[in-house]
Amino acid sequence: MTDQYNPAEIEPKWQAKWDQDGLYQADIDPDKTKYYALTMLPYPSGDLHIGHWYAMTPSDARARYMRMNGYNVMFPIGFDAFGLPAEGAAIKHGIHPKKWTYANIDSMRAQLRSMGAMWDWRREAVSSDVKYYYWTEWFFIQLYKHGLAYRKHSTVNWCPSCNTTLANEQVWGDDRHCERCKTPVIQKDMQQWFFRTTNYADELLDFSDMDWSDQVRRLQTNWIGRSEGASVVFRTVPEADGDNGGDPIEIFTTRPDTLWGATFMVLAPEHPLVDKITTAENHENVAAYKEQAARQSDIQRSSVDKEKTGVFTGGYAINPVNQARIPIWIADYVMMGYGTGAIMAVPAHDERDFAFARKYDLEIIPVIQPEGEAFIGATMKEAYVGPGLMINSAHFNGVEISEEKGQANPGIAAVSDWLEEKGVGKADVSYKLRDWLISRQRYWGAPIPMIYCEQCGWNPVPEDGLPVVLPDDVEWLPTGESPLKLHPNWKNTTCPECGGPAERETDTMDTFMCSSWYHLRYLSPDYDKGPFDPEEYDYWMPVDIYTGGIEHATMHLIYTRFFHKAMRDFGITKGKEPMTQLRNQGMVLGEDGEKMSKSRGNVIAPDELVEAYGADTIRAYLMFFARWDRGGPWDSQGIEGSVRWVHRIWRFFADGRPELQSQNKDLEHSLRRKLHQILKQVTHDFENFEFNTIISSLMELLNEMYAARDAGGVGADVWAEVTDLYLRMAAPVIPHVTEELWERLGKPYSIHVQSWPTVDEEAIKVDEFTLIVQVNGKLRDRISVAVGIGEDEACEAALASEAVQRFVDGKELRRVIYIEGRLINIVV
RNA sequence: GCCGAAGUGGCGGAACUGGCAGACGCGCGCGACUCAAACUCGCGUUCCUUUGAGGAUUGUGGGUUCGAUUCCCACCUUCGGCACCA
């Protein structure tokens, strides 16, 4: 065995053999503990990115590690194949999205195979296959039947470039741009389909028994944005123009304790009651303000620094706690999309209301008095938002308001209870989370299986009428409008209620709907009696480890949890959560430290790297070069270190054991110690997804192995143990070269079905150790002493050191701190 | 403004529970091999003073401790998320 390491030869060879032998096929085995390892599925853009490698190969290595630990590991893969880029290609190059998508999938399959990952390709699922989206439609109908899918007219985010609506989660950044194409979104009033994600807001905040990264938990928690407070109903006052008033205006407040200080109300300009309460003499002003607010983009409108503006409607409301008659204004600092789109304004205790009141000369009544300070009075210079005692608040005067938020604050709780007793309000909770808008005005997506009939309204396609199949014969106009709308007859159908002529919904579903359940389709991608085979579900679910990018924290990772919980409530899925453990990798940046992009010209192409170095080396480098959860810039110099490592492994095994002159027991002993120390370390690091130190440990051990070999004296037994364990430890990282070397050692195929080695604690034990000697906390010497020596002996040994004496000599010994087996600190 | 993370040699990073700072690797320097170069191998590589030896050092400044990259306080910088959220 003297030939050179040639990955171009051995990698395809083993990939083909593994495939042929079905080495990575995972089937139900009741005798083994299952382990469902899932990595986020790629979109078939046409080219595998180094980012895919970064996400997938460490996930694969970990799945392999779990398999060697005796788990029955399922590691599936598929494609999130619906979506806008396919239509972009259709519009730009005249290629049908289906053709474009499936051609891309074909080429990406080959690219994915070059990673040498342990995917069970039999379980591949493609979300644009009819056999897949059949069930995406079916799930929609389940949501509809249970009242979680509904149609609503509202102001929605519209991407003018993608020509479609977007969910709130898909609008990013200060300029509120489209998550996909970065174009700033505009507002549009439309009828659209929504899912009631808000029904699950509270449950989605519960992360107990979940091993998810703190970051994702925090992002989701912020996104859901729960606030405790109270809802209170104010009523309008009859005005001279004949309106008899009494219309309820519900508001939400986190500070019901300040209700007595509410001196005016503010409605969002879009609030449905605005026109009704506006008096004739204010009509012109109000109309002008509404128009101006509508023209403003969300960015302008939500700028914090902007001076508050508003106009008086002429209407008044009665404050239900004290019957005060207060004016109703409209202002664009109140948002229709949060709470009820109406607020009570308490200028004394809210900064925004304060600024507004000062500007328009509205009344300010303080109702919270800071304890131990002078009466804050009406001359206050700024709103007081701290704790204190209630004043000007009838029988609540003197009640203490602590700094606690929500019902945890006894004062707030007391007021809330009283509101409920009086029938004017109640303790309530508000969320920033909004219902999930799933309608997309696009062709290449799962059809929304709904039918509209003039007589009967909206009805779902009967389940035996599923799937609603996308027509192939579609054309795109240069405007980019959805071709489903323009199709001559696809939308024509009959009403499932009355049998009369009716029309299909021509919008399709957000692709996040497809990806909310792909982990279920992997269970049985060809199953046709339901979305998945229940037997497979019962064995494999839930997902044991889910890996993927952090960018999905508030989109996919919220949607899929919502989906699972809703389906659980319908009796379709089981358990609290779909994925019990989640880890997120960082991002590989270009060599310039910037995000990789074609326009910057800093893209690293994995195919070229495979050709130049082989997959094993890339895998090793991606695991080594940065902390996996952080990522960092690619370094084409740095990969040379991994190249050398793999070559050094190859050479070590190729050269074999030199002829033994005389056995060196001490050397064998220390080599075995290193081996098992490293095994312990690598095991720990695999458990904790610390991939970079796995590689450095393996490098360290290899260096030691070379040194021991060159020193001579390693006998056959120890040599066999070291080489065997080394290959096993490296196998998850570099599966091809280890398989090849394993075979060349004459070991039974395959290394990937071997067990993970166990640490020999005896081997790690030492009878001497290096005692760290400090004087006044500073390192002065290191001395070798016997294990288990006591403090007195250690101290004696330390004081015997010349280096120590230099610092101790002539000084009074004040204290000695001895940490057994580690260190002694002499304080003088 | 709010929530959070990070800051360690020229670079990526390591240090698991408060106990040897800089593992491992890149790069660089010197040497061996070579006619030569590449590869490979060996040695060195935080900074400062330096003969020996010592001093300083984990963003900055304090604190706790025998001892702090690690814990606490304040500040600076960078990054991520949210943001007129009532």
Side-chain angles (χ1 to χ4, degrees), chain A residues 90-103:
Chain A
I91 294 162
K92 217 167 152 189
H93 304 119
I95 310 167
H96 195 281
K98 192 187 239 178
K99 202 174 157 196
W100 185 85
T101 301
Y102 284 86

Side-chain angles (χ1 to χ4, degrees), chain A residues 426-669:
Chain A
K426 63 174 198 309
D428 206 353
V429 176
S430 184
Y431 303 91
K432 288 188 213 173
L433 182 73
R434 298 189 211 168
D435 280 344
W436 176 13
L437 189 167
I438 57 108
S439 299
R440 296 293 177 274
Q441 291 64 45
R442 304 302 332 160
Y443 162 75
W444 192 236
I448 296 174
M450 296 295 294
I451 293 169
Y452 183 74
C453 164
E454 292 279 348
Q455 264 71 47
C456 316
W458 286 100
N459 275 296
V461 174
E463 285 187 24
D464 60 12
L466 292 180
V468 176
V469 178
L470 282 174
D472 283 337
D473 55 330
V474 282
E475 277 179 72
W476 278 265
L477 296 180
T479 56
E481 259 179 289
S482 167
L484 281 183
K485 278 196 174 61
L486 310 169
H487 192 279
N489 50 39
W490 179 79
K491 66 182 170 194
N492 298 329
T493 184
T494 51
C495 173
E497 275 296 272
C498 68
E503 287 194 354
R504 293 186 189 286
E505 171 64 270
T506 56
D507 286 351
T508 53
M509 281 183 251
D510 182 1
T511 55
F512 279 117
M513 178 62 179
C514 312
S515 57
S516 289
W517 72 280
Y518 74 103
H519 55 285
L520 300 176
R521 195 60 191 166
Y522 284 157
L523 299 171
S524 49
D526 297 316
Y527 192 69
D528 60 4
K529 295 178 196 68
F532 54 82
D533 182 342
E535 203 187 326
E536 296 274 341
Y537 186 100
D538 288 343
Y539 182 74
W540 293 108
M541 283 295 286
V543 172
D544 295 284
I545 172 65
Y546 194 27
T547 55
I550 190 78
E551 67 273 17
H552 289 295
T554 54
M555 299 193 290
H556 166 63
L557 291 172
I558 283 194
Y559 297 141
T560 196
R561 292 180 66 210
F562 156 76
F563 183 94
H564 178 91
K565 289 167 188 297
M567 294 307 151
R568 173 209 56 199
D569 289 347
F570 310 161
I572 296 167
T573 59
K574 294 170 189 172
K576 181 167 168 274
E577 294 284 339
M579 295 112 184
T580 49
Q581 189 182 36
L582 174 80
R583 288 294 180 279
N584 306 105
Q585 82 278 358
M587 213 193 298
V588 189
L589 303 172
E591 295 211 72
D592 53 4
E594 299 290 330
K595 201 172 162 173
M596 282 188 201
S597 75
K598 279 189 186 135
S599 57
R600 276 207 191 84
N602 61 354
V603 174
I604 300 296
D607 287 0
E608 290 167 25
L609 294 173
V610 172
E611 211 171 302
Y613 304 113
D616 282 337
T617 298
I618 307 168
R619 293 171 62 107
Y621 182 60
L622 287 172
M623 285 183 232
F624 176 67
F625 89 105
R627 270 183 59 160
W628 191 58
D629 56 355
R630 243 180 261 169
W634 179 263
D635 182 358
S636 49
Q637 218 43 285
I639 194 172
E640 293 299 335
S642 303
V643 173
R644 281 175 206 145
W645 177 54
V646 176
H647 276 89
R648 273 166 64 78
I649 293 172
W650 181 271
R651 245 191 354 266
F652 187 87
F653 283 84
D655 294 350
R657 187 167 65 96
E659 215 166 300
L660 188 65
Q661 303 299 332
S662 65
Q663 207 170 347
N664 182 339
K665 285 279 177 198
D666 283 350
L667 183 77
E668 287 191 340
H669 197 70

